[in-house]
Amino acid sequence: MSDWPEGWSDDDRGRYGRGSASAQPEGARVMRQIRRGQAGPPGQGPAAPPHGGRVPPQPSYVDGRGHDAYGDPGGGYDSGYNTGQVYGTPGGRGPGGPGGRGPRPAPNWRRRIKVTAITVVTVLVVTAVGTYFWADSKLNREVDLSKVIDRPEAGEGTNYLIVGSDSREGMSDEEKKKLHTGSAEGKRTDSMMILHTGGNGSTLISLPRDSDVEIPSFVGSESGKRYEATGRHVKLNAAYAEDGPELLVRTVEHNTGLRIDHYVEIGFAGFANIVDAVGGVEMDIPQDIKDTKSGADFEKGRQTLNGEQALAFVRTRYALAGSDLDRTKNQQKFLSALAGQVATPSTVLNPFKLYPTMGAGLDSLIVDKDMGLFDLADMFWAMKGVSGGDGTSMNMPIAGSAGNGNLQWDTAKVKRLVEQLKNDETVTVSGN
């Protein structure tokens, strides 16, 4: 029985697939017909199409066991679109598909803000504590006020004795020449002030270095030996030269009756370094000043002074009509302006300026053993208040010259001034 379709001969079979040697073109090949339904009875032609002439169902390439024509499970051709592989995610794990992560949860902002706030507060506390201990360790607590004898009773408020010395300790020859300090050995007081802080504003009182004072009995700061009073009168700065800060405090207390609570001293180099660290201090100089001894050379008007210029300005007295009294007024103005500059937000909130300023200042200050950072801050804020109008600045009231050429204090005014300071009252006494 032949497997070839009806109408095909063996010649046709041989010719199919081998080509034809005939010059005539090969006729149209008769393609095998795929029968969709049952064949009709012989001689009656094909049976009527099933489904009433409609499009028949497409054949399935999957056998009854779930395998396709190639023997693969799953059945039939898979383009990959139904698995998500078109997106490059193996296993069909595209967005929203099997195994996907699903929608991202909303962030917990309350928790994030809380964690951030705790972190910021922790950093600030650690920084503040670290800064406090660093600054406290740099204070030079060299003055022992417990060695001062026969002290007046304490009053209201706090009294600071602020001293500017001409100490050249640690300065090179080049620095001495640049700052016009000379090369004198030891150190003497170049300026002295009493700063009173309390509930009625601050009062800054300059004590002229040539003030006539009596040296009282005292105990030597180094020897511990007691020296009895002899009634001798000297210039105020001589007390410091004789036995240092302790005798100076003892002399001021004896001649005023006002108890000194804290002592603060700064030398030439330290003063200039603080001014440079803060970026200079703006001053309104009331007149032209030229002094070869201090190195001052200024024209009248507002200008910013660096460390070298500032030191020359506060030391100048020979070019001023009032000599030492005018110099003390300039010192008050400058120190108040310096304190105001240090306490500005541009310094306090800028670590690149704050830490160099604190380092320069604390390294160069000499204070008493009971002095703390809060006391030092109180002193600076009080001085700033004086420059801002919340306080009074004055010279110690002067009556004239004493018989030895020193400046004689006005005894009645000084007594009233001290009483007002002790009671923390508003100062009404005027100075020179």
Side-chain angles (χ1 to χ4, degrees), residues 302-336:
R302 186 171 293 277
Q303 52 202 285
T304 299
L305 307 183
N306 60 26
E308 178 184 350
Q309 295 169 327
L311 184 59
F313 177 71
V314 299
R315 293 182 61 217
T316 296
R317 64 171 177 163
Y318 294 104
L320 305 176
S323 187
D324 197 42
L325 294 178
D326 283 350
R327 178 172 73 163
T328 56
K329 294 176 182 178
N330 285 341
Q331 291 171 346
Q332 290 176 348
K333 291 177 182 178
F334 186 85
L335 289 179
S336 296

Side-chain angles (χ1 to χ4, degrees), residues 189-237:
T189 52
D190 209 54
S191 62
M192 290 159 284
M193 303 178 189
I194 294 175
L195 174 66
H196 173 83
T197 66
N200 288 293
S202 303
T203 303
L204 185 61
I205 308 164
S206 287
L207 309 175
R209 56 184 289 179
D210 293 339
S211 297
D212 186 74
V213 294
E214 179 185 7
I215 297 293
S217 57
F218 68 96
V219 174
S221 58
E222 297 294 335
S223 65
K225 180 180 178 181
R226 183 181 177 92
Y227 296 90
E228 297 296 338
T230 61
R232 61 191 175 100
H233 282 244
V234 297
K235 292 180 179 180
L236 181 58
N237 65 340

Side-chain angles (χ1 to χ4, degrees), residues 173-425:
D173 292 338
E174 183 179 351
E175 289 174 324
K176 293 176 183 177
K177 182 178 179 180
K178 178 182 178 181
L179 298 177
H180 300 273
T181 64
S183 300
E185 296 296 329
K187 59 181 182 179
R188 287 151 292 277
T189 52
D190 209 54
S191 62
M192 290 159 284
M193 303 178 189
I194 294 175
L195 174 66
H196 173 83
T197 66
N200 288 293
S202 303
T203 303
L204 185 61
I205 308 164
S206 287
L207 309 175
R209 56 184 289 179
D210 293 339
S211 297
D212 186 74
V213 294
E214 179 185 7
I215 297 293
S217 57
F218 68 96
V219 174
S221 58
E222 297 294 335
S223 65
K225 180 180 178 181
R226 183 181 177 92
Y227 296 90
E228 297 296 338
T230 61
R232 61 191 175 100
H233 282 244
V234 297
K235 292 180 179 180
L236 181 58
N237 65 340
Y240 181 95
E242 186 172 332
D243 197 49
E246 288 84 357
L247 180 55
L248 178 60
V249 171
R250 168 75 175 120
T251 302
V252 170
E253 289 186 343
H254 174 76
N255 286 268
T256 63
L258 185 68
R259 186 184 180 96
I260 300 300
D261 299 295
H262 292 294
Y263 177 92
V264 181
E265 177 186 326
I266 187 169
F268 282 161
F271 179 83
N273 289 339
I274 293 176
V275 175
D276 285 335
V278 82
V281 176
E282 188 178 37
M283 287 292 297
D284 187 5
I285 299 179
Q287 65 183 75
D288 293 346
I289 300 176
K290 190 173 183 64
D291 184 0
T292 56
K293 291 190 176 182
S294 67
D297 188 4
F298 305 111
E299 294 182 357
K300 178 181 178 180
R302 186 171 293 277
Q303 52 202 285
T304 299
L305 307 183
N306 60 26
E308 178 184 350
Q309 295 169 327
L311 184 59
F313 177 71
V314 299
R315 293 182 61 217
T316 296
R317 64 171 177 163
Y318 294 104
L320 305 176
S323 187
D324 197 42
L325 294 178
D326 283 350
R327 178 172 73 163
T328 56
K329 294 176 182 178
N330 285 341
Q331 291 171 346
Q332 290 176 348
K333 291 177 182 178
F334 186 85
L335 289 179
S336 296
L338 174 60
Q341 180 69 25
V342 170
T344 56
S346 62
T347 299
V348 175
L349 300 180
N350 183 356
F352 298 102
K353 184 180 287 188
L354 175 63
Y355 285 98
T357 301
M358 291 179 64
L362 297 174
D363 278 340
S364 56
L365 291 179
I366 296 175
V367 300
D368 64 272
K369 293 184 179 297
D370 295 328
M371 186 81 161
L373 290 178
F374 291 108
D375 299 312
L376 196 62
D378 175 66
M379 184 191 78
F380 269 97
W381 280 105
M383 293 181 68
K384 179 186 178 183
V386 170
S387 65
D390 184 21
T392 303
S393 61
M394 57 185 291
N395 276 326
M396 186 65 82
I398 302 295
S401 295
N404 56 6
N406 300 337
L407 294 176
Q408 181 71 47
W409 291 351
D410 187 320
T411 306
K413 283 188 175 183
V414 170
K415 183 178 179 180
R416 189 160 66 252
L417 172 62
V418 170
E419 288 177 353
Q420 291 175 344
L421 296 178
K422 277 187 172 183
N423 297 325
D424 195 23
E425 300 172 353

Side-chain angles (χ1 to χ4, degrees), residues 65-117:
R65 293 176 307 219
H67 292 77
D68 62 14
Y70 299 98
D72 294 327
Y77 170 73
D78 188 355
S79 66
Y81 283 92
N82 64 331
T83 64
Q85 292 181 8
V86 69
Y87 298 106
T89 54
R93 296 177 183 175
R101 291 176 295 180
R104 199 171 183 181
N108 189 338
W109 289 108
R110 179 177 297 179
R111 183 176 180 276
R112 290 188 180 186
I113 293 173
K114 181 179 179 180
V115 171
T116 302

